[in-house]
Amino acid sequence: MNLREKLGQRFLYRLPGVTQLTQEVADFLVECRAGGVVLFGYNVQTPEQVAKLNHDLQALAARHNMPPFIIGVDEEGGQVSRMPAEGRELILPSQMALGVAGAEAVRACAEVNARRLRSLGFNLNFAPVLDINNNPANPVIGTRSFGDDPALVAELGGVALEAYLQTGISPCAKHFPGHGDTNVDSHFHLPVVNKSLEELRRFELVPFQRAIAAGIPAIMTAHILYPQFETGGLPATLSPRFLTQVLRQELGFEGLIFTDALDMAAIADRYRLGEASLMAFQAGADIVMSFSLSFDEQYAAFEEVVAAAEAGELDLLHNAETDERITGWRKRFCTGTPVAGVTEEDVQIIAGAAQHSLSLVCPEKDFVPLSKIKAQRPLLVDFTAAMESPVEEGRQPGPLLETELRATMPALLRLEVPANPTPADELRALSWASQSDLLIIVTRHATRYEEQAKLVRTLIENYGSATPLFIIAAREPYDLALFEGSAGSIATYGDPPATIKALANLLTVEQPILC
């Protein structure tokens, strides 16, 4: 391959709005000599459709004597899933939920996830998340993390990556050197973490060290500024001190370094796409996610890097080392035999993990299932959160819990309340609650929305002593610390369909559950 072709292999692209391989898309990928693509929810309609898209992409590469495409996806589970409506029960519980369920649940679910992705034509999953969520105010990681303990995150991350590797798909650990202690979402702003390198070594880097020792083939960078170590004002993604000095030289990582998406505001507000792509390569990244919603802008960024390389602005020795790493990765993950799709047994594995991932908190010894309460007017107060971060792509549980509960409580009413309720929402909720004899309150991000927390406290104060009242923290478990006086509380660590169904089963099980 010539220089242009070799550089092309170092770019991954978005395919905005694409659900099938069109001539425009084919021409773009061939002209850029693209290394691959990352698919998002808007690229995925049905299992059959996305499998055909991925097959057609690989056929395109073969026709033009290009290496097989890297085809990646963010399929973490919980709120971060790109899978279609058909088969939503196969979305894993969040990593924090699986952390509650235990190591075997992590392993089994990762195996199911890997088989599903391989059957659809993917060869790279941007998981596991190795961030340690020790900041409850973190707006972008939260339940995407296994937890707030470095040893636990390292252990369960190792279990997940081993399961992915054994099932033949490449995991990609993220977000190096750690996104867990931020209070800013890098999709919107540049987070700043005031920690020294020594502090990072003792905490954030622990899971990455464990993953590297276990043979992780790929790591994704974080768009975070660490001014105590990177004094040049560069986010980790663009920092030679982080990518070359720490990740390569100190930690001994020999796999592929991927950037996070370069169209995120933490980068895009400060650098042009081509400029950021070049800087990431100069810092030591192997592959850039040179993303834009415009094919023209993505193409222009590629051409800018080619021109810079021809002008001597890239270390071609490093480029040769990257070529070898990419070739080795492809030999390992692009030549596997096709696998069958998921089975009913796989659905049951995920359902079982979800069932074991729920945490109960009960003031009294016995938690009486709701099906034992002879309620005539049960009410579900369901706070609904808007998309908190672009990484979620707006995944919402909808009325699934209502549907599931009505199997045993046909008189159940559901009141949908926005996460940040207005005074009119509050009046309506109080009015409905005054006419009910059982209250089930589902909170979402109550720690972030003062009016939501206030409304829940008012419901507890007004009705908690006379009416059975249950609080369910359907996203972060931190909500439960805000409320006292309920008959029982449950933390679900997320609300994908499998978790919601497990919650409904828990609430309506026939025998008492001991807390």
Side-chain angles (χ1 to χ4, degrees):
M1 290 190 285
N2 59 34
L3 178 61
R4 179 185 178 84
E5 291 170 329
K6 289 179 179 179
L7 287 173
Q9 293 304 297
R10 301 182 64 179
F11 283 77
L12 296 187
Y13 295 107
R14 281 187 188 266
L15 303 179
V18 171
T19 56
Q20 60 182 330
L21 184 60
T22 64
Q23 192 61 51
E24 177 191 16
V25 174
D27 292 344
F28 165 74
L29 294 173
V30 172
E31 183 63 27
C32 292
R33 309 307 292 179
V37 301
V38 178
L39 299 191
F40 291 84
Y42 51 69
N43 301 122
V44 181
Q45 294 177 320
T46 68
E48 295 77 15
Q49 167 268 326
V50 73
K52 184 178 188 307
L53 174 59
N54 288 339
H55 175 272
D56 291 347
L57 286 167
Q58 297 295 18
L60 173 71
R63 284 198 307 273
H64 290 272
N65 297 314
M66 297 166 62
F69 284 131
I70 298 170
I71 303 181
V73 67
D74 289 283
E75 191 60 29
E76 303 170 11
Q79 288 303 110
V80 182
S81 172
R82 311 303 186 219
M83 292 298 99
E86 181 183 342
R88 284 279 172 85
E89 70 276 7
L90 289 161
I91 297 174
L92 306 187
S94 73
Q95 285 196 180
M96 192 174 286
L98 292 178
V100 173
E104 283 309 307
V106 172
R107 182 184 306 277
C109 286
E111 289 175 352
V112 171
N113 205 28
R115 284 198 302 275
R116 185 187 196 192
L117 294 178
R118 280 197 61 196
S119 72
L120 297 175
F122 294 98
N123 47 40
L124 172 66
N125 188 19
F126 294 109
V129 174
L130 296 187
D131 304 311
I132 306 164
N133 197 71
N134 64 320
N135 185 346
N138 194 318
V140 67
I141 301 300
T143 58
R144 298 170 65 192
S145 166
F146 284 117
D148 58 8
D149 178 68
L152 176 69
V153 174
E155 176 192 357
L156 297 183
V159 170
L161 76 87
E162 181 180 290
Y164 281 118
L165 291 174
Q166 289 179 346
T167 315
I169 197 166
S170 174
C172 180
K174 60 188 184 185
H175 306 79
F176 178 85
H179 211 312
D181 198 12
T182 63
N183 57 9
V184 170
D185 184 346
S186 51
H187 291 86
F188 301 121
H189 305 284
L190 176 64
V192 178
V193 176
N194 282 300
K195 289 187 175 182
S196 67
L197 179 59
E198 185 54 40
E199 288 176 294
L200 294 176
R201 288 189 183 111
R202 293 196 301 265
F203 198 82
E204 277 84 355
L205 296 184
V206 172
F208 291 99
Q209 290 175 306
R210 171 75 174 268
I212 290 168
I216 187 77
I219 289 177
M220 179 194 287
T221 67
H223 303 330
I224 300 175
L225 180 61
Y226 296 85
Q228 288 193 39
F229 176 64
E230 176 48 83
T231 56
L234 295 172
T237 291
L238 308 181
S239 167
R241 299 192 73 185
F242 271 113
L243 302 194
T244 299
Q245 180 181 327
V246 177
L247 186 52
R248 288 287 186 215
Q249 297 171 359
E250 178 178 327
L251 300 183
F253 179 57
E254 297 179 350
L256 291 176
I257 299 177
F258 288 78
T259 71
D260 205 343
L262 296 182
D263 59 347
M264 294 164 61
I267 300 295
D269 284 353
R270 291 161 178 80
Y271 309 95
R272 291 177 293 97
L273 184 58
E275 178 186 18
S277 299
L278 178 62
M279 292 174 68
F281 288 143
Q282 292 170 331
D286 295 302
I287 295 179
V288 298
M289 294 194 206
S290 191
F291 289 173
S292 167
L293 295 178
S294 161
F295 286 121
D296 289 343
E297 187 176 1
Q298 292 182 125
Y299 181 74
F302 168 64
E303 290 291 358
E304 184 173 340
V305 171
V306 171
E310 291 174 342
E313 296 181 43
L314 268 183
D315 182 346
L316 297 184
L317 175 60
H318 170 68
N319 201 56
E321 294 169 350
T322 290
D323 293 341
E324 293 180 6
R325 281 192 284 267
I326 294 174
T327 298
W329 187 95
R330 281 201 170 94
K331 288 180 179 177
R332 188 175 181 186
F333 297 108
C334 292
T335 58
T337 57
V339 297
V342 291
T343 65
E344 181 57 34
E345 181 181 357
D346 292 326
V347 175
Q348 293 308 313
I349 287 172
I350 294 174
Q355 200 69 52
H356 287 92
S357 72
L358 307 175
S359 294
L360 297 174
V361 181
C362 311
E364 302 174 2
K365 182 178 179 181
D366 292 338
F367 180 95
V368 180
L370 303 188
S371 56
K372 297 291 186 180
I373 299 174
K374 305 302 182 183
Q376 302 299 309
R377 300 177 305 279
L379 175 64
L380 172 63
V381 180
D382 201 356
F383 286 94
T384 58
M387 184 175 70
E388 294 289 312
S389 172
V391 75
E392 298 178 5
E393 290 197 319
R395 302 294 188 192
Q396 297 293 332
L400 179 59
L401 181 58
E402 173 191 16
T403 302
E404 294 289 317
L405 291 178
R406 276 191 172 169
T408 54
M409 291 188 290
L412 179 75
L413 294 178
R414 173 178 179 257
L415 176 62
E416 185 174 301
V417 183
N420 193 23
T422 65
D425 296 321
E426 294 170 9
L427 288 174
R428 186 166 61 254
L430 292 170
S431 174
W432 283 41
S434 69
Q435 304 172 57
S436 301
D437 55 0
L438 168 63
L439 288 175
I440 307 164
I441 302 173
V442 180
T443 70
R444 288 183 172 86
H445 307 304
T447 56
R448 304 181 201 175
Y449 296 105
E450 183 179 346
E451 292 304 316
Q452 179 182 157
K454 177 183 174 183
L455 175 52
V456 174
R457 289 194 192 98
T458 301
L459 289 169
I460 293 173
E461 291 167 3
N462 287 2
Y463 306 109
S465 59
T467 304
L469 186 151
F470 299 88
I471 304 292
I472 299 161
R475 294 285 173 90
E476 289 88 356
Y478 315 115
D479 284 7
L480 296 185
L482 300 176
F483 310 119
E484 296 179 358
S486 64
S489 304
I490 301 172
T492 68
Y493 311 96
D495 50 12
T499 297
I500 290 296
K501 290 182 179 182
L503 170 64
N505 183 60
L506 178 63
L507 290 172
T508 58
V509 70
E510 288 302 316
Q511 69 275 9
I513 302 169
L514 299 182
C515 295

